Amino acid sequence: MAAVSELELEDPEPPEEKNNAAAAALALSPAVPWLPAVAERYERREKLGQGMFGDVYKAWDRVSERFVAVKRLSGRTDDDDDRFVATPLPYFEREVMSLAACRGHPSVVQLLATYADGDGDCFVVVTEYAGPMNLREYMDVRLVNGQPFDEDEVRDVMEQLLAGARHAHMAGVVHRDIVPENVMVDMASGRMVYKICGFGMSEPAAMQAAEKDDSGMVASSSPYRAPELFLGSKDYDSRVDTWSLGCIMAELVAGNGLPFFGGTLEKDRDVFNEMMHVVGTEGIVKWPGLERVPSREKAARLRRTGCRERGCLKRKLKELRPEQQVLSPAGFKVLKGLLDSNPDRRLTATAALSKQWFRRRGCLFGACCFMPHGGVAP
């Protein structure tokens, strides 16, 4: 059996409490069965995550003798057996088409297999096992261990994620939901590896002409949603993804464990207002597409008030991380370009990667490979 490297998180609970918790979790493990063909080939292990339409598990592939990730999409979730949601076929189609189009890039999880039942109520997507935690969990671990990201580490994360996004965009895929929960983290060959996953809300090229509608407004969760999607615009492109990556970059720099825009705010309106306060309204007001946005509350107010908010991005970063300057001028230029509220001026993934910041290396395998306490498991 091949050895698998996994990040082990230090658990603050006493060993006996940890064991009791593990036993309780095992006793409450989901009873929802996998499709027979899936259960025959894959041995289900621990749950890696849960979404609106199903759950993701680590599993052992008995045929290829390796670990994989099995995502089960259905109208019923493991933890809420009495709650049914819409048939997830569109999400299955989006995910499979997008993953197939993005094959071959090391910063995008690789599609291995798909399964569906005869009734069209349950679908399974099998991908490579890309790590034991997502970027949200990894950032939380870093915070608990008092190990904030330095500039070299932020650059390493962003270079990998922008490269993955560039590959997807060149393949005609707009992800529309690049958030920390949709980035898997692992260690390989002495460095941290970040891979984009979670393509259920994506727009593959084959679906864009027919599917681009108001669903774009609710693609990303609000702290990572581009301003044009907040406004209900249909004039969006791949730069909604680079906006989300800018949000992730700012969050890595801030290091406080909260989304950069909105923090603990719950209402979309409040998040949008905070966003405009930080990046300023000049960009979105000068965007020609604003005139084509339906006269909803936010768009009408922007047209009426104009460039009232000047923006305070650098000041907000300083407030959140006052002990040191984390970003050099070259790094801040990338962040500001990704968080330009004018979609036409916002950096594409290709343009961002061409910036000077990515041509400077402060480390190769030093600061870029922090491991939570516990190290690598054999």
Side-chain angles (χ1 to χ4, degrees), residues 91-141:
Y91 298 88
F92 175 74
E93 293 176 332
R94 290 174 188 273
E95 186 135 18
V96 171
M97 292 171 67
S98 295
L99 286 172
C102 295
R103 273 195 175 110
H105 196 278
S107 296
V108 179
V109 295
Q110 299 300 295
L111 176 67
L112 300 178
T114 62
Y115 298 84
D117 67 359
D119 298 327
D121 292 327
C122 184
F123 307 90
V124 173
V125 179
V126 182
T127 64
E128 65 172 321
Y129 175 68
M133 71 179 87
N134 60 46
L135 183 56
R136 166 67 61 213
E137 295 166 330
Y138 184 51
M139 287 191 290
D140 288 344
V141 170

Side-chain angles (χ1 to χ4, degrees), residues 74 80 182 239 319 358 368 374:
S74 71
D80 200 356
N182 283 334
R239 282 171 286 195
E319 290 172 355
F358 290 109
C368 296

Side-chain angles (χ1 to χ4, degrees), residues 8-313:
E8 289 188 338
L9 310 187
E10 184 182 46
D11 197 322
E13 297 178 359
E16 62 274 12
E17 293 185 19
K18 181 177 178 180
N19 292 337
N20 291 340
L26 182 62
L28 295 173
S29 59
V32 178
W34 280 355
L35 297 175
V38 177
E40 180 179 355
R41 175 162 180 170
Y42 305 101
E43 178 185 330
R44 177 160 43 182
R45 300 292 179 87
E46 67 267 22
K47 183 184 286 188
L48 297 175
Q50 180 172 316
M52 181 184 300
F53 291 100
D55 316 279
V56 184
Y57 287 88
K58 180 180 179 180
W60 178 252
D61 185 342
R62 298 183 177 96
V63 176
S64 63
E65 295 190 329
R66 60 175 171 175
F67 285 109
V68 298
V70 177
K71 183 175 186 177
R72 183 183 62 86
L73 296 163
S74 71
R76 182 198 299 268
T77 65
D78 283 342
D79 294 341
D80 200 356
D81 288 348
D82 295 327
R83 181 174 64 86
F84 285 86
V85 293
T87 301
L89 178 60
Y91 298 88
F92 175 74
E93 293 176 332
R94 290 174 188 273
E95 186 135 18
V96 171
M97 292 171 67
S98 295
L99 286 172
C102 295
R103 273 195 175 110
H105 196 278
S107 296
V108 179
V109 295
Q110 299 300 295
L111 176 67
L112 300 178
T114 62
Y115 298 84
D117 67 359
D119 298 327
D121 292 327
C122 184
F123 307 90
V124 173
V125 179
V126 182
T127 64
E128 65 172 321
Y129 175 68
M133 71 179 87
N134 60 46
L135 183 56
R136 166 67 61 213
E137 295 166 330
Y138 184 51
M139 287 191 290
D140 288 344
V141 170
R142 295 286 298 255
L143 182 63
V144 169
N145 282 275
Q147 292 283 346
F149 289 78
D150 63 26
E151 183 165 17
D152 286 319
E153 292 176 297
V154 174
R155 176 167 41 225
D156 188 46
V157 176
M158 294 307 299
E159 186 168 30
Q160 293 184 53
L161 296 184
L162 283 165
R166 177 179 61 185
H167 180 77
H169 298 161
M170 292 178 67
V173 175
V174 181
H175 189 287
R176 301 200 309 165
D177 195 21
I178 300 182
V179 298
E181 290 79 4
N182 283 334
V183 174
M184 297 308 297
V185 182
D186 203 353
M187 190 178 196
S189 302
R191 73 188 295 247
M192 302 307 298
V193 176
Y194 305 89
K195 292 177 182 278
I196 300 172
C197 64
F199 283 80
M201 294 297 295
S202 65
E203 278 190 345
M207 299 178 71
Q208 285 175 15
E211 297 293 329
K212 182 174 279 191
D213 53 27
D214 286 347
S215 64
M217 293 195 307
V218 293
S220 296
S221 59
S222 61
Y224 306 90
R225 192 182 307 161
E228 60 269 32
L229 295 183
F230 267 104
L231 297 175
S233 173
K234 299 179 184 179
D235 294 336
Y236 64 86
D237 57 21
S238 63
R239 282 171 286 195
V240 299
D241 288 344
T242 54
W243 172 276
S244 298
L245 288 170
C247 296
I248 289 176
M249 179 177 173
E251 194 169 334
L252 291 169
V253 172
N256 63 349
L258 296 172
F260 185 70
F261 291 118
T264 58
L265 298 176
E266 297 181 358
K267 294 183 179 179
D268 284 359
R269 178 188 62 218
D270 296 334
V271 174
F272 181 77
N273 291 340
E274 167 72 4
M275 183 185 297
M276 290 297 99
H277 174 69
V278 173
V279 303
T281 55
E282 179 181 2
I284 195 70
V285 167
K286 292 185 176 181
W287 175 50
L290 183 63
E291 296 300 321
R292 298 189 292 272
V293 174
S295 292
R296 295 171 178 165
E297 177 189 354
K298 298 184 187 70
R301 187 174 73 251
L302 282 171
R303 287 193 283 258
R304 183 175 63 252
T305 59
C307 306
R308 180 173 296 178
E309 293 280 3
R310 297 180 60 85
C312 56
L313 178 57

